[in-house]
């Protein structure tokens, strides 16, 4: 397949937001058209390679075949869904707003977890503020409680952007916050996530250190 049909994606195997893009691409049958570009996204050390696509220098950042640059994961996933004529984003009615709100909740969980992690990995010890990190983890726990409550209504397949985002959020907690033991207090979410995680798109995109 020629370059004119390929998507260029600044990629990081540890990013839950990149994972969301790659799961969506697999489900939509577009993964083979994505060329992954090496990057070193960091909250302090700016990677100018990424900035060529995204002035914020954050991943994921995608260059479409027509030359336009797209970011962040919400925009990229909806773009890929449109290209493929997919159904990850319901077109109308309550189903659309429920799906988009689930995406926002999952993204918010990931963002809060990232901020908590950065407090102890990106800041020097003398500048760390534990109450800030704990405030972010309160958001994580609140999001987990909501996902647990919604679990009986969630699909076991990555067929909706809200479901995909929830899956990426819980996978990120497994990857970076194993000591949080989120399954203990959220058994319904844990059982649902176990079923969802069996899908090939989830299995093949598990984060790698």
């Amino acid at each position: 397949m020629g370059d004119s049909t390929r998507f260029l994606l600044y990629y990081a195997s540890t990013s839950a937001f990149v994972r969301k893009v790659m799961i969506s691409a697999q489900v939509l049958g577009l993964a083979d058209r994505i060329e992954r570009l090496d990057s070193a996204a960091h909250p302090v050390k700016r990677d100018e390679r990424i900035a060529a696509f995204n002035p914020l220098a954050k991943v994921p950042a995608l260059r479409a075949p027509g030359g336009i640059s797209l970011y962040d994961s919400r925009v990229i996933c909806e773009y890929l869904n449109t290209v493929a004529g997919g159904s990850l984003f319901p077109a109308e009615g309550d189903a659309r707003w429920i799906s988009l709100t689930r995406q926002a909740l999952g993204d918010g969980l990931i963002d809060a977890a990232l901020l908590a992690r950065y407090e102890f990995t990106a800041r020097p010890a003398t500048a760390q503020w534990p109450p800030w990190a704990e405030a972010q983890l309160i958001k994580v726990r609140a999001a987990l409680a909501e996902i647990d409550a919604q679990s009986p209504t969630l699909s076991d397949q990555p067929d909706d952007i809200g479901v995909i985002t929830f899956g990426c959020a819980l996978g990120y907690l497994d990857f970076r916050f194993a000591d949080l033991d989120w399954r203990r207090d959220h058994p319904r979410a844990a059982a649902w996530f176990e079923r969802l995680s069996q899908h090939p798109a989830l299995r093949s995109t598990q984060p790698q250190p």
Side-chain angles (χ1 to χ4, degrees):
M1 191 169 290
D3 289 343
S4 63
T5 66
R6 297 185 69 78
F7 307 95
L8 304 178
L9 178 72
Y10 274 109
Y11 177 91
S13 64
T14 58
S15 167
F17 295 119
V18 170
R19 187 184 189 196
K20 183 168 70 157
V21 169
M22 293 308 301
I23 291 172
S24 298
Q26 287 199 33
V27 171
L28 294 166
L30 297 176
D32 290 344
R33 290 177 56 185
I34 294 179
E35 180 179 342
R36 304 176 190 182
L37 305 178
D38 185 42
S39 67
H42 190 274
V44 178
K45 301 173 184 176
R46 182 177 174 86
D47 187 336
E48 292 296 342
R49 295 172 298 177
I50 306 171
F53 288 10
N54 176 2
L56 301 175
K58 297 170 66 175
V59 293
L62 180 137
R63 178 71 55 83
I68 64 170
S69 294
L70 302 169
Y71 45 87
D72 55 8
S73 66
R74 290 167 291 188
V75 175
I76 295 171
C77 288
E78 188 157 7
Y79 169 78
L80 294 177
N81 187 70
T82 300
V83 169
S87 57
L88 296 182
F89 291 78
E92 58 187 6
D94 287 350
R96 175 170 176 79
W97 304 118
I98 290 170
S99 179
L100 293 180
T101 301
R102 285 173 172 165
Q103 179 179 214
L105 180 64
D107 283 348
L109 191 161
I110 297 167
D111 278 332
L114 276 170
L115 289 173
R117 174 175 164 74
Y118 286 160
E119 188 66 25
F120 298 113
T121 60
R123 287 181 181 271
T126 55
Q128 291 173 8
W129 187 19
W132 165 264
E134 178 55 31
Q136 304 312 310
L137 292 178
I138 288 172
K139 297 176 186 178
V140 168
R141 296 185 188 102
L144 282 168
E146 180 62 22
I147 293 172
D148 192 68
Q150 293 190 26
S151 292
T153 68
L154 298 175
S155 171
D156 293 344
Q157 302 297 313
D159 52 12
D160 174 272
I161 195 60
V163 165
I164 291 171
T165 310
F166 279 1
C168 291
L170 298 181
Y172 185 76
L173 292 182
D174 280 349
F175 180 53
R176 293 299 197 193
F177 290 87
D179 58 343
L180 194 62
D181 193 16
W182 66 266
R183 288 173 175 78
R184 180 188 59 207
D185 297 324
H186 307 95
R188 292 175 296 184
W192 167 77
F193 182 59
E194 178 63 26
R195 296 190 298 271
L196 179 72
S197 295
Q198 301 311 307
H199 191 279
L202 275 290
R203 293 173 67 88
S204 66
T205 58
Q206 289 185 1
Q208 301 297 323

